Amino acid sequence: MGESFSELAALYRNTLLQDIIPFWERHSVDWENGGYFTCLDAEGEVYDTDKFTWLQARQVWTFAMLYNRWEKRDGWLRIAKHGADFVAECGTDADGNWYFALDRFGRPLVQPYNIFSDCFAAMAFSQYAVASGDERAVEIARRSYDNVLRRRTNPKGQWNKVYPGTRPLKTLAVPMILANLTLEMEWLLGREHLDEVLDETVGEVMTDFLDQDRLLMFENVTPAGEHVDCFEGRLLNPGHGIEAMWFMMDVARRRGDRALIERAVDVVLSTLDFAWDEAYGGICYFMDADGRPPLQLEWDQKLWWVHLEAMVALAMGHALTGRKECIEWYEKVHAYAWPRFSDPDHGEWYGYLNRRGEVLLPLKGGKWKGCFHVPRAMSMCARLFEGMAASEEENRA
Amino acid sequence: MGESFSELAALYRNTLLQDIIPFWERHSVDWENGGYFTCLDAEGEVYDTDKFTWLQARQVWTFAMLYNRWEKRDGWLRIAKHGADFVAECGTDADGNWYFALDRFGRPLVQPYNIFSDCFAAMAFSQYAVASGDERAVEIARRSYDNVLRRRTNPKGQWNKVYPGTRPLKTLAVPMILANLTLEMEWLLGREHLDEVLDETVGEVMTDFLDQDRLLMFENVTPAGEHVDCFEGRLLNPGHGIEAMWFMMDVARRRGDRALIERAVDVVLSTLDFAWDEAYGGICYFMDADGRPPLQLEWDQKLWWVHLEAMVALAMGHALTGRKECIEWYEKVHAYAWPRFSDPDHGEWYGYLNRRGEVLLPLKGGKWKGCFHVPRAMSMCARLFEGMAASEEENRA
C-alpha cells in the first residue's frame, strides 16, 4: 500500500471532514418537518422520506460526537439538536418505547418491536447531552438505557415469533451492543454498575458466543453457550463478529486487560481468514459455519459497514498490540474497500456491492445505511492512525 | 427453440415423473419421525432437519395431486398420508392455527404468525381428502380455510408490527392466494360461496392491485386501491404478479370470462417487458416501480419459481388465447431457465441464481423451496402442451 500512518490519518480526517459530513449536512436535514432524510441516492437526492429511528438516533450521535471530539462547530450542534428534538417529540409511545419507523412528519409507522432502537436512542441522547448540557437529554438517555436493560432477555416482546421452550437461543447483538453502550454512557452510569455490566457482557461474548476452537463468533447460541445445529445456530455474520471484537478491545484497553486484547485480535484475524472471499476479494456478509447453504440470499454481498468495522478493528488491534498481521490484513481490506465503496465524485460511500464488488444498489443511504458507520469509522481510524504516527515519531526520535 | 408442443409436453411429463418426483421420493421422506425433510443439497443429502409448515403442506398437496391427476400409485398416496398424518398430529396449536415451523420431531419452533401456513394446509388437506376419502382431512381442510377467511383482514394478528392508522396497506398475496385456494376447494365449498369469494378476490386483484395504466401488479396498495409513495407501496414482485395472472386465467376459464383472460395475458406480457433483465437475461426478483433502489438486497437474483410460474402463465395464455406474444415469450423464458436451473445429473432444479445466472446456493430444497413449484409447473405445462398438441393435430386433420 505504501501510505504512512500519518498519510492514512490525513486520508481519514480529510474524507470525514470534507466529504462525508458535508454530504449529510447538504442532503439529509429535513429543515421543514424535522429529523433527517436518510434515503439518499448516489448524488444525494432524497428518494424516500420515511424516518427510521435507528438512523435518526445514529445521526444525532454522529453530529454530537463530531462536536464533542473534533471541534465545537455550532452548525454540528444545531444539526444534532434538530434530530434530537424531532425524535424526542415523536419517537416514543406513551411508555417511552422507541418506535421503529416514523413518516416524514413524525407519525409512527412501525411499532417499538426492536430493542436496538432503544440502544441507539440511548447512545444518541447520551452523546448529545454531553454536547448540549441539556438535562432533558440526560433523562431520555437514562430512560432508554433502562429500556434496554429491561428488555434484554426478551428483546422482541410481544412480537417475538419463537415458540417458547423448544429451542431457546440468545443472540450476540444484545451483549455486544450493551458493552459498547455502557462504555458510551460511562459518564452517566455509576462505576459499580459499569463494572458489573462489562464483566457480564464481556464474559458472555468471549465465552458463550465465541467458539473457542475455531475462534469464530457465532450469532446465536443456547443460554448456556452451546451450539445448535440449525440455520440460526450455524450462522456467522463476520462483520458483526469483528465489530464485537473492537468493542471488546475498547473495554479491555480501559481496563488494562492485555489478555482480552490479544484474544480479540486473534478472533478478528481468524474471522477474516474464514470470511475473506478468495475468488473475488472482500468479506462475505453471512456464512454458515459448517459450509451449508445459508438462509440469507444476500450472503455473498460486500457491505460497507463490514469493511469499515474491519478496518477499525485492525487499526485498533495494531495500535494496541503492534502485531504485524493486523497491519497486513488492514492493507488488504483497505485496498479492497476504498476504491470500490468510496465515491469521491458525489461524496459518501456506496453501501452494497455484489460478490464481484460491483455496485448493487446505487444509494448512499437507505433504511439501514445512514450517517453512522462511515463517519464513526473515519473518525476512529483518523485518531488511531494519528496515534500510531505519533508513536512512530517518538520511537524515531 | 424448435420443439413442437408434443415434444414440450413429453419434456415436462418425463421430467416430472422420472426426475423431479423420484428426487423427493428418494431423499425427502423422514420415515423415522414423520413428515418430510426439505433442506436438501445439490445431491439430495439432508443438510438441515427443521420442518416448515408451508413446505410440509405443499408436499402433501403435490403427492395427493399426482395421485388425483396422474395415476393412482399407492406409493404416492402413502407419501401424501405420511406428511398429512405428521402435520395433523403436530402442526397446530390448541385453536387449530398452524405453526410456521416444527423441529424434526414435530415440536413447535415458530408461532402461527403466518396466514399462508393455513392456506397451504387447506390446499393440502383438500387435495388429500380427494385422494384418500379421509373424513378427518375434509374437516382439517374446512377448518384451515375458515382460519384464512377469519384472519384475512389482519393476517399477522398479534405479530403485526405496523402501527395502526398511519399508513394502511393491504397486500396482493391475500386475495391472490384466496382465489386459487377457493378454486382448489370448489368441491368442498358451496357454489354460492365460491362465486362470492371469486367475485371479490378477482375484483380486488384486477382493480385495486393492478395499475391500470402501466399494467403492472403492485404488491401493496391502500384499502381503496391507491398507490403510496413508500418502499412497500412502490414494490413489484414480478413473479408474484405473473403467478396471480394465471390464477386469474384459471378462474376466468371456468367462468368463460374472455375479457378477464385477455386482460390477464396483457399484464403477464407487460410485466415481462418491465422485469426482464436485458443485461443478463431472466426475470428480476424484486423491482421498485419508479426505478428507485429497492429494499430487497436479493432484488436482482433469478429464482426458480418466478421462471416456472412465468412458463405456466405463458403456456396457459397461449392455450387460452392463441396469442403469438405468449409463445414468443415462452420460448425466451424456456431458453433461459431450463439450462440454468435444471440439474439432470442429480435431479430437481436449483432454486437461486445470481444476476448473471450462476448458481448462488447449491441446494435443491431449503426453508422456502420444497416439493411444490417445480412439480406443479411441470404437471401444468405437461397438460397444457398436451392440449395444444392435440388442438394442432385436430386443426391439421
Short mmCIF file of all heavy atoms in Angstrom, two decimals, chain B residues 94-118:
data_model
loop_
_atom_site.label_atom_id
_atom_site.label_comp_id
_atom_site.label_asym_id
_atom_site.label_seq_id
_atom_site.Cartn_x
_atom_site.Cartn_y
_atom_site.Cartn_z
N ALA B 94 -53.67 -25.29 20.03
CA ALA B 94 -54.94 -25.82 20.54
C ALA B 94 -56.14 -25.23 19.79
O ALA B 94 -57.20 -25.87 19.70
CB ALA B 94 -55.06 -25.54 22.04
N ASP B 95 -55.99 -24.03 19.23
CA ASP B 95 -57.09 -23.41 18.49
C ASP B 95 -57.07 -23.73 17.00
O ASP B 95 -57.83 -23.14 16.23
CB ASP B 95 -57.04 -21.87 18.65
CG ASP B 95 -57.17 -21.46 20.11
OD1 ASP B 95 -57.91 -22.16 20.84
OD2 ASP B 95 -56.54 -20.47 20.52
N GLY B 96 -56.19 -24.61 16.58
CA GLY B 96 -56.18 -25.01 15.17
C GLY B 96 -55.42 -24.07 14.26
O GLY B 96 -55.51 -24.17 13.05
N ASN B 97 -54.63 -23.15 14.83
CA ASN B 97 -53.77 -22.29 14.00
C ASN B 97 -52.47 -23.02 13.69
O ASN B 97 -51.88 -23.65 14.56
CB ASN B 97 -53.44 -21.00 14.75
CG ASN B 97 -54.69 -20.23 15.11
OD1 ASN B 97 -55.49 -19.88 14.25
ND2 ASN B 97 -54.88 -20.01 16.41
N TRP B 98 -52.03 -22.89 12.45
CA TRP B 98 -50.85 -23.63 12.01
C TRP B 98 -49.56 -22.93 12.41
O TRP B 98 -49.33 -21.77 12.05
CB TRP B 98 -50.89 -23.82 10.49
CG TRP B 98 -51.97 -24.78 10.10
CD1 TRP B 98 -53.26 -24.47 9.79
CD2 TRP B 98 -51.86 -26.21 10.05
NE1 TRP B 98 -53.97 -25.61 9.53
CE2 TRP B 98 -53.15 -26.70 9.68
CE3 TRP B 98 -50.84 -27.13 10.28
CZ2 TRP B 98 -53.41 -28.07 9.53
CZ3 TRP B 98 -51.10 -28.48 10.13
CH2 TRP B 98 -52.36 -28.94 9.76
N TYR B 99 -48.72 -23.66 13.16
CA TYR B 99 -47.38 -23.16 13.46
C TYR B 99 -46.64 -22.91 12.15
O TYR B 99 -46.91 -23.55 11.14
CB TYR B 99 -46.58 -24.18 14.29
CG TYR B 99 -47.13 -24.38 15.67
CD1 TYR B 99 -47.59 -25.63 16.07
CD2 TYR B 99 -47.17 -23.32 16.58
CE1 TYR B 99 -48.09 -25.82 17.35
CE2 TYR B 99 -47.68 -23.52 17.85
CZ TYR B 99 -48.14 -24.76 18.23
OH TYR B 99 -48.64 -24.94 19.48
N PHE B 100 -45.64 -22.03 12.20
CA PHE B 100 -44.86 -21.78 10.99
C PHE B 100 -43.76 -22.82 10.79
O PHE B 100 -43.42 -23.17 9.67
CB PHE B 100 -44.25 -20.38 11.02
CG PHE B 100 -43.53 -20.04 9.76
CD1 PHE B 100 -44.24 -19.72 8.62
CD2 PHE B 100 -42.14 -20.11 9.69
CE1 PHE B 100 -43.58 -19.45 7.43
CE2 PHE B 100 -41.48 -19.85 8.50
CZ PHE B 100 -42.20 -19.51 7.37
N ALA B 101 -43.18 -23.30 11.88
CA ALA B 101 -42.08 -24.28 11.76
C ALA B 101 -42.08 -25.23 12.94
O ALA B 101 -42.46 -24.87 14.06
CB ALA B 101 -40.74 -23.55 11.67
N LEU B 102 -41.67 -26.46 12.66
CA LEU B 102 -41.53 -27.52 13.66
C LEU B 102 -40.11 -28.06 13.58
O LEU B 102 -39.45 -27.95 12.55
CB LEU B 102 -42.49 -28.67 13.34
CG LEU B 102 -43.96 -28.29 13.03
CD1 LEU B 102 -44.71 -29.49 12.48
CD2 LEU B 102 -44.63 -27.75 14.29
N ASP B 103 -39.66 -28.69 14.67
CA ASP B 103 -38.38 -29.39 14.54
C ASP B 103 -38.63 -30.79 13.94
O ASP B 103 -39.77 -31.14 13.63
CB ASP B 103 -37.60 -29.41 15.86
CG ASP B 103 -38.20 -30.34 16.90
OD1 ASP B 103 -39.19 -31.04 16.59
OD2 ASP B 103 -37.68 -30.37 18.03
N ARG B 104 -37.57 -31.58 13.78
CA ARG B 104 -37.74 -32.85 13.08
C ARG B 104 -38.72 -33.78 13.78
O ARG B 104 -39.34 -34.64 13.16
CB ARG B 104 -36.39 -33.55 12.90
CG ARG B 104 -35.79 -34.08 14.18
CD ARG B 104 -34.38 -34.58 13.99
NE ARG B 104 -34.31 -35.65 13.01
CZ ARG B 104 -33.17 -36.14 12.54
NH1 ARG B 104 -32.02 -35.63 12.94
NH2 ARG B 104 -33.17 -37.12 11.68
N PHE B 105 -38.88 -33.59 15.11
CA PHE B 105 -39.79 -34.44 15.87
C PHE B 105 -41.21 -33.89 15.91
O PHE B 105 -42.10 -34.48 16.53
CB PHE B 105 -39.26 -34.61 17.30
CG PHE B 105 -37.84 -35.09 17.33
CD1 PHE B 105 -36.81 -34.25 17.73
CD2 PHE B 105 -37.53 -36.39 16.95
CE1 PHE B 105 -35.49 -34.68 17.75
CE2 PHE B 105 -36.20 -36.84 16.96
CZ PHE B 105 -35.19 -35.97 17.34
N GLY B 106 -41.41 -32.73 15.31
CA GLY B 106 -42.75 -32.15 15.28
C GLY B 106 -43.02 -31.18 16.42
O GLY B 106 -44.16 -30.74 16.60
N ARG B 107 -42.00 -30.83 17.18
CA ARG B 107 -42.21 -29.85 18.26
C ARG B 107 -42.21 -28.45 17.67
O ARG B 107 -41.38 -28.13 16.82
CB ARG B 107 -41.09 -29.97 19.31
CG ARG B 107 -41.15 -31.30 20.04
CD ARG B 107 -40.01 -31.42 21.03
NE ARG B 107 -38.72 -31.33 20.37
CZ ARG B 107 -37.58 -31.79 20.89
NH1 ARG B 107 -37.57 -32.36 22.09
NH2 ARG B 107 -36.44 -31.66 20.23
N PRO B 108 -43.15 -27.59 18.14
CA PRO B 108 -43.25 -26.25 17.53
C PRO B 108 -42.02 -25.40 17.76
O PRO B 108 -41.48 -25.35 18.87
CB PRO B 108 -44.47 -25.63 18.23
CG PRO B 108 -44.67 -26.42 19.47
CD PRO B 108 -44.15 -27.80 19.19
N LEU B 109 -41.57 -24.74 16.70
CA LEU B 109 -40.43 -23.81 16.78
C LEU B 109 -40.88 -22.36 16.61
O LEU B 109 -40.34 -21.47 17.25
CB LEU B 109 -39.40 -24.12 15.69
CG LEU B 109 -38.51 -25.34 15.90
CD1 LEU B 109 -37.72 -25.61 14.63
CD2 LEU B 109 -37.58 -25.13 17.09
N VAL B 110 -41.80 -22.15 15.67
CA VAL B 110 -42.20 -20.77 15.35
C VAL B 110 -43.73 -20.66 15.40
O VAL B 110 -44.45 -21.50 14.87
CB VAL B 110 -41.66 -20.35 13.96
CG1 VAL B 110 -42.09 -18.92 13.62
CG2 VAL B 110 -40.14 -20.46 13.92
N GLN B 111 -44.18 -19.61 16.07
CA GLN B 111 -45.60 -19.37 16.32
C GLN B 111 -46.42 -19.25 15.02
O GLN B 111 -45.86 -18.99 13.96
CB GLN B 111 -45.75 -18.05 17.10
CG GLN B 111 -45.04 -18.04 18.45
CD GLN B 111 -45.84 -18.71 19.55
OE1 GLN B 111 -46.82 -19.42 19.27
NE2 GLN B 111 -45.43 -18.52 20.79
N PRO B 112 -47.74 -19.40 15.12
CA PRO B 112 -48.60 -19.34 13.93
C PRO B 112 -48.84 -17.90 13.47
O PRO B 112 -49.97 -17.45 13.39
CB PRO B 112 -49.92 -19.97 14.39
CG PRO B 112 -49.78 -20.26 15.83
CD PRO B 112 -48.49 -19.72 16.34
N TYR B 113 -47.76 -17.22 13.10
CA TYR B 113 -47.89 -15.81 12.75
C TYR B 113 -48.27 -15.60 11.29
O TYR B 113 -48.53 -14.49 10.85
CB TYR B 113 -46.58 -15.06 13.03
CG TYR B 113 -45.51 -15.31 12.00
CD1 TYR B 113 -45.35 -14.45 10.90
CD2 TYR B 113 -44.68 -16.41 12.06
CE1 TYR B 113 -44.40 -14.69 9.93
CE2 TYR B 113 -43.73 -16.66 11.10
CZ TYR B 113 -43.59 -15.80 10.03
OH TYR B 113 -42.66 -16.04 9.06
N ASN B 114 -48.32 -16.69 10.51
CA ASN B 114 -48.36 -16.54 9.07
C ASN B 114 -49.60 -17.19 8.48
O ASN B 114 -49.77 -18.41 8.51
CB ASN B 114 -47.08 -17.17 8.51
CG ASN B 114 -46.88 -16.87 7.07
OD1 ASN B 114 -47.68 -17.29 6.24
ND2 ASN B 114 -45.82 -16.12 6.74
N ILE B 115 -50.48 -16.39 7.91
CA ILE B 115 -51.76 -16.86 7.36
C ILE B 115 -51.56 -17.86 6.22
O ILE B 115 -52.42 -18.72 5.98
CB ILE B 115 -52.61 -15.66 6.88
CG1 ILE B 115 -54.04 -16.09 6.50
CG2 ILE B 115 -51.93 -14.95 5.73
CD1 ILE B 115 -54.91 -14.92 6.02
N PHE B 116 -50.41 -17.79 5.55
CA PHE B 116 -50.20 -18.69 4.41
C PHE B 116 -49.95 -20.13 4.85
O PHE B 116 -50.17 -21.05 4.08
CB PHE B 116 -49.10 -18.15 3.49
CG PHE B 116 -49.45 -16.79 2.99
CD1 PHE B 116 -48.82 -15.67 3.48
CD2 PHE B 116 -50.49 -16.63 2.07
CE1 PHE B 116 -49.19 -14.40 3.06
CE2 PHE B 116 -50.87 -15.36 1.65
CZ PHE B 116 -50.23 -14.24 2.14
N SER B 117 -49.52 -20.32 6.08
CA SER B 117 -49.46 -21.69 6.61
C SER B 117 -50.86 -22.29 6.58
O SER B 117 -51.05 -23.45 6.19
CB SER B 117 -48.93 -21.69 8.04
OG SER B 117 -47.70 -21.01 8.14
N ASP B 118 -51.86 -21.53 6.99
CA ASP B 118 -53.25 -22.01 6.97
C ASP B 118 -53.73 -22.24 5.54
O ASP B 118 -54.42 -23.21 5.25
CB ASP B 118 -54.16 -21.01 7.69
CG ASP B 118 -53.74 -20.80 9.14
OD1 ASP B 118 -52.91 -19.92 9.39
OD2 ASP B 118 -54.22 -21.54 10.01
#
